Every structure is written in structure tokens, then in C-alpha cells.
Amino acid sequence: MTSFYSEKHKFLLAVDCIIFGFHEGELNVLLLHRSFEPEKGKLSLPGGFLKENESLNDAAIRVLNELTGLENLYMEQVHTFGDVHRDSGERVVSVAYYALININDYDTSLLGKYNAIWVKSTDMPNLVFDHSEMVQSARHALCQRAAIEPVGFNLLPEKFTLPQFQTLYEAIYGEVLDKRNFRKKVLSMNVLEKLNEKDKLSSKRGAFLYRFNEEKYKEFISKGYDFTI
Amino acid sequence: MTSFYSEKHKFLLAVDCIIFGFHEGELNVLLLHRSFEPEKGKLSLPGGFLKENESLNDAAIRVLNELTGLENLYMEQVHTFGDVHRDSGERVVSVAYYALININDYDTSLLGKYNAIWVKSTDMPNLVFDHSEMVQSARHALCQRAAIEPVGFNLLPEKFTLPQFQTLYEAIYGEVLDKRNFRKKVLSMNVLEKLNEKDKLSSKRGAFLYRFNEEKYKEFISKGYDFTI
DNA sequence: GCAAAAGTGTTGCCATTACACCCATGA
DNA sequence: TCATGGGTGTAATGGCAACACTTTTGC
């Protein structure tokens, strides 16, 4: 007796990753110069094909690791793109993931190795296939997520200043926030610990460094509060 | 020269649909008794395999149409499930979609034809594979969507009463809402037209019927207001 | 007349917003 | 001393939640 599954068509499956980094007050996305046909040389998202004994998530983790050298990145599935002719080479269904990295952890020598560039998300060039749409979707997903969960910290170094933190959220939301209101809200959550150090890189006076405290966050959540910035 | 795409592994791709209907104050989901091995006889979501020259969305539309006889259903992609062993038969990656139908439009003779049943979403039995997780994800996605866009109307007949409408949102959100506040908010949006008819099925006094007005809604949105219930 | 659901306004509170000046420091 | 970015508090507003009684009508 033949299986029900037989004679069904099979497809190439890819994951494409929108890797966000935060640099100079802007969200940046890591792009590649595509190294193979079709569309060779054009800009594209980093991606890879799903392997036989690999889950989708693992494929995304693999692609992210290959490209950044980093592990345990924060990532989230965004959407699956399945138009018949979305890839001009062959039929490929692609699952988009976004990831957040602390751009300081990124080894810039990899840029040369992979012919990669960081591009400001406010200033995205055209990408191959439907990759521009993927970036749009990812930005939207990140915006929604960041509003309700503390994922933004993944884009910052361990120690960061409140002005940095605010600029990050301004970049994510694409709007400017009131300094006093922002600080009031963030500090009232009691999830940041203030350090006795200042960062003097961006001002003469210097700004106090803070650190996200997982324990405090759990406590905050356990009291039924929600993290909405 | 061989294509870069060659020698990559290919996969079975499925779509599984969470079809929501609203009945007797509850969200219901359409389930099938699985008609083939493995897990034959167990309850599962309706689904189907992606075809060679078909987009993912078209596959979902096809499955929905087959099962309900309805066209132009509201639907949304939810998430893609890609664990290696999620399907105990063979490796299958599945894209979950949810759809909203006016349960009165549903031809109940189809229940027999497909060995299908409507099940209250508050009272879901165990489903095959990861289908229960799919339902969870779909409920969550619907909840989010319904809060910001008027998709709930797809679950109601063209004419409906405010008590019905409120009960729908209570079912979607899983919490009871204050009658006066709810009516105040909904009516203040000015997107419903009140009809000169009453529905007397659920009370002696009867409740006025309303109809969603697309034009009014567009006007409402164009003024920069947002539909948050 | 009574049970059962429909319909209707007001008030208080809290969260969000708007807003302007002083501080510390390096150059 | 001045230019630059860091840091601080208050008042007004509007949106949201809480809340109870009257109406209608079939039985």
C-alpha cells in the first residue's frame, strides 16, 4: 500500500534572515551581495536552504551563526513567502526570520568574507525578489514585539545609557519620544539597574550606564505589570 | 554549469487551516476526522499539500473553499511549523492559516461529507501532531488582529445586534466586557448603521439590528482614527 | 406581574501628554 | 565662557473603568 504522502510535489525551502543591528542612532540591516545566479551581484538578505534533518528554526540559527559568528541570538519567525514566481531562478518557498544583534559583538572582518554591508533601515536599497517586502514585514514585527517585550536590549551592549536606549526606541518606532516621559516610564518599571559608571563618548558631562536586570524583569512581570514602552 | 539550486533537498509543504465560526456565543473551530494514516481517525485541522504551480495563499484558499464551499473568506497566515518530526508520517513543513466565516453561510451537509465537526475553541480536544499549537497561535493572531481591524464582522451575519457583537468580542478576547462601555465605544466610531428592524430571537423585547458600513469605516480611518475595541 | 434581555449616563481615576530650565564638563 | 548633551517635575487632559436602573414584551 502506498503512502498518502507519495506523489505529492516537493519544494525547495529557504530561510531568509533580517539581521538588525543598532548603530549611530539607527537600525541597520545586514545585506549580502548575492554570489550566485540569478540576480548575482544584487543585494539580498542572507539566507540558506533548509536541510533534510533540520528544523526551520535550526536553519535560521545556522544561517545567523554562519553570517555573524554569534550564537543564541534573539530571533523570531516573521512570515512565509510562497508566491510561485517570487524567486526568478526556481520555485522556492521562503520563511523570513528577523534577528537582533549587538552590533559591537559583530566581527566586521566578516563583512569582507561574505561581501556584506550594513545598511540603514531608513535608507534601504532595492533588494532581489521579495526581500524588500520581507524587511518591511520584519520591521513591523519588531515594532510590535518591542512594544510589549524587552527585546530591544538585544540590540544594545550590556551596559547602555538612557539616551542610547531612547534613541533605540525612536529608531524602532520611527518617531521621536519625549525625554522626560520616556525616562519616567522606563525607570518606573524598575527593571534597570543604574551603575556607578558614566559613558562619556557622546557628551562631555557623560551619561550614567544602566544594565537590564532579568531578575527585576521577572519580578515586574510576576506582579502582573506589562512591559509597554 | 549546474544551478546553485540543484542538489538541495526538497520538502513536502502543507497548509493547515483554522476555520473559525461564531455560534451560540462561542468561537468554534472546524475539525476533521483524519481519513488516512498515520493517525487515521484522530481529529485534525483541515489541510492540504501545496501544488506545483500554486502560491501558498492560493493553496489556503483552495483548502478553505473545498471544505466550506465558500469563497473570498477573510484569512491570514499565522505561522509556519517546521520541526523535523512534527508529522509522524513523513517530513512535512506546514503553514498555518486562519479563516473567519459566517457560520450561517456554512452548508452543514458538508459535515457529513468530510466527516467534520465544529468544536468550541474553549473546549478543544487533542489534535494530531502540532495542530493544537496551531490553533493556539491562530487564536492569538485573531485576538491581536481583531483589536485593531474590523475583522470580527466576517464572523457575523450581515445584520447583527449589538449584544451579539459584544458577545463575539468577548469570545475572541476571552473576557467579559462592560455593556455600556462597549456600546459607547463601538457606536462612537460611527461605522455601524442602525436598521429599523429588530431581532427577537434572543429576547422578548428584541434588539436592534446593525450593519457594518464599509464607507463609514473608510471615512473613520481617513480621519486618522484607529479601530481599537 | 414577572422574568429576561435591551438599552442608557455619569463620575472618578489613572495614564499620557505637553512643556522649560538647570547641570556638568571639555574644549 | 560657551556649546553640548544629560538630567529633572508638574499640571492639564482625555481615555478608560466602574457602576444601577429603566424599558419592553412574551409568557
Side-chain angles (χ1 to χ4, degrees):
Chain A
M1 160 184 170
T2 70
S3 154
F4 177 84
Y5 297 97
S6 57
E7 88 216 43
K8 301 296 178 186
H9 197 265
K10 294 190 173 187
F11 299 85
L12 287 174
L13 255 172
V15 297
D16 286 307
C17 297
I18 298 92
I19 302 174
F20 288 110
F22 181 60
H23 188 55
E24 290 179 351
E26 301 237 32
L27 274 186
N28 287 62
V29 178
L30 192 62
L31 299 179
L32 300 185
H33 293 276
R34 195 168 154 97
S35 63
F36 52 91
E37 295 295 348
E39 307 273 0
K40 186 171 174 177
K42 299 250 181 85
L43 285 168
S44 86
L45 291 170
F49 288 98
L50 180 64
K51 294 186 176 175
E52 189 167 358
N53 284 300
E54 184 183 51
S55 73
L56 269 180
N57 278 352
D58 286 344
I61 290 167
R62 171 172 54 83
V63 168
L64 290 168
N65 179 254
E66 267 172 31
L67 231 94
T68 65
L70 304 174
E71 298 190 351
N72 296 319
L73 295 180
Y74 177 84
M75 65 171 210
E76 191 186 0
Q77 191 191 109
V78 176
H79 192 81
T80 298
F81 295 79
D83 281 356
V84 177
H85 300 292
R86 53 169 295 282
D87 184 317
S88 57
E90 193 172 331
R91 177 81 196 268
V92 182
V93 171
S94 178
V95 184
Y97 282 78
Y98 76 81
L100 307 181
I101 76 169
N102 169 1
I103 211 165
N104 301 316
D105 293 345
Y106 179 77
D107 174 3
T108 50
S109 75
L110 293 171
L111 290 179
K113 179 172 174 191
Y114 291 108
N115 202 7
I117 51 172
W118 284 103
V119 174
K120 290 179 192 171
S121 75
T122 52
D123 193 26
M124 291 289 294
N126 283 331
L127 305 183
V128 299
F129 309 155
D130 48 6
H131 287 198
S132 295
E133 199 187 332
M134 289 181 179
V135 174
Q136 280 301 108
S137 300
R139 282 191 54 109
H140 184 247
L142 169 59
C143 191
Q144 294 222 338
R145 181 65 50 183
I148 55 173
E149 272 179 58
V151 297
F153 299 109
N154 294 293
L155 287 158
L156 294 172
E158 194 200 343
K159 302 171 181 182
F160 52 87
T161 68
L162 288 183
Q164 268 182 293
F165 192 47
Q166 180 176 346
T167 311
L168 169 63
Y169 271 83
E170 290 176 334
I172 292 175
Y173 294 157
E175 57 183 301
V176 296
L177 305 172
D178 181 272
K179 187 167 46 162
R180 282 175 286 194
N181 293 337
F182 182 82
R183 292 173 155 261
K184 207 187 315 170
K185 192 170 209 167
V186 169
L187 292 176
S188 74
M189 289 185 189
N190 236 40
V191 299
L192 297 183
E193 47 179 313
K194 187 177 185 173
L195 306 176
N196 278 323
E197 310 168 54
K198 283 192 169 186
D199 175 303
K200 298 207 144 202
L201 294 177
S202 60
S203 79
K204 295 158 185 170
R205 178 177 177 177
F208 276 104
L209 288 164
Y210 288 78
R211 179 163 40 194
F212 176 65
N213 186 316
E214 193 77 35
E215 295 309 313
K216 288 185 173 190
Y217 173 65
K218 284 178 190 161
E219 193 184 334
F220 174 74
I221 291 300
S222 71
K223 286 179 182 165
Y225 297 121
D226 60 344
F227 183 93
T228 41
I229 291 192
Chain B
M1 158 184 172
T2 69
S3 156
F4 178 85
Y5 297 97
S6 57
E7 88 218 44
K8 302 295 179 187
H9 197 263
K10 294 191 174 187
F11 299 85
L12 287 174
L13 256 172
V15 298
D16 286 307
C17 298
I18 299 91
I19 302 173
F20 288 110
F22 181 61
H23 187 56
E24 290 179 350
E26 301 238 33
L27 274 185
N28 288 62
V29 177
L30 192 62
L31 299 179
L32 301 185
H33 292 276
R34 194 168 155 99
S35 64
F36 52 91
E37 293 297 344
E39 308 275 0
K40 184 171 175 177
K42 298 249 181 87
L43 285 169
S44 86
L45 291 169
F49 288 97
L50 180 63
K51 295 186 176 175
E52 189 167 358
N53 284 300
E54 182 183 52
S55 73
L56 269 180
N57 278 352
D58 286 345
I61 290 168
R62 172 173 54 82
V63 168
L64 289 169
N65 179 254
E66 268 172 31
L67 230 94
T68 65
L70 305 174
E71 297 190 353
N72 296 317
L73 294 181
Y74 177 83
M75 66 170 210
E76 192 187 359
Q77 192 191 110
V78 176
H79 191 81
T80 298
F81 294 79
D83 281 356
V84 177
H85 301 292
R86 53 170 294 282
D87 184 318
S88 57
E90 193 171 332
R91 177 82 195 266
V92 182
V93 172
S94 176
V95 185
Y97 283 78
Y98 76 81
L100 306 181
I101 78 171
N102 169 0
I103 212 163
N104 301 316
D105 292 346
Y106 179 78
D107 175 2
T108 50
S109 75
L110 293 171
L111 290 179
K113 180 172 173 190
Y114 290 107
N115 203 5
I117 52 172
W118 284 103
V119 174
K120 290 180 191 170
S121 75
T122 52
D123 193 25
M124 291 289 294
N126 282 331
L127 305 182
V128 298
F129 308 155
D130 48 7
H131 288 198
S132 295
E133 199 187 331
M134 290 182 177
V135 174
Q136 280 301 110
S137 300
R139 281 191 55 110
H140 185 247
L142 170 59
C143 192
Q144 293 224 336
R145 180 64 52 184
I148 57 174
E149 271 179 58
V151 297
F153 299 109
N154 294 292
L155 287 159
L156 294 173
E158 193 200 343
K159 302 172 181 180
F160 51 87
T161 68
L162 288 184
Q164 268 182 293
F165 193 46
Q166 179 175 347
T167 310
L168 170 62
Y169 271 83
E170 290 176 334
I172 292 175
Y173 294 157
E175 56 184 302
V176 295
L177 304 172
D178 181 90
K179 186 165 50 163
R180 281 175 287 193
N181 293 336
F182 182 83
R183 295 169 79 98
K184 207 188 316 171
K185 192 171 211 170
V186 168
L187 292 176
S188 73
M189 289 185 189
N190 237 40
V191 298
L192 296 184
E193 49 179 312
K194 186 176 186 175
L195 306 176
N196 276 325
E197 311 169 54
K198 282 192 169 187
D199 175 303
K200 298 208 144 203
L201 294 176
S202 60
S203 79
K204 295 157 186 169
R205 178 178 176 177
F208 276 105
L209 287 163
Y210 289 79
R211 179 162 42 194
F212 177 65
N213 186 317
E214 192 76 34
E215 295 308 313
K216 288 185 173 190
Y217 173 64
K218 283 178 189 160
E219 193 183 335
F220 174 74
I221 291 300
S222 72
K223 286 179 181 163
Y225 298 120
D226 61 342
F227 184 92
T228 41
I229 292 191

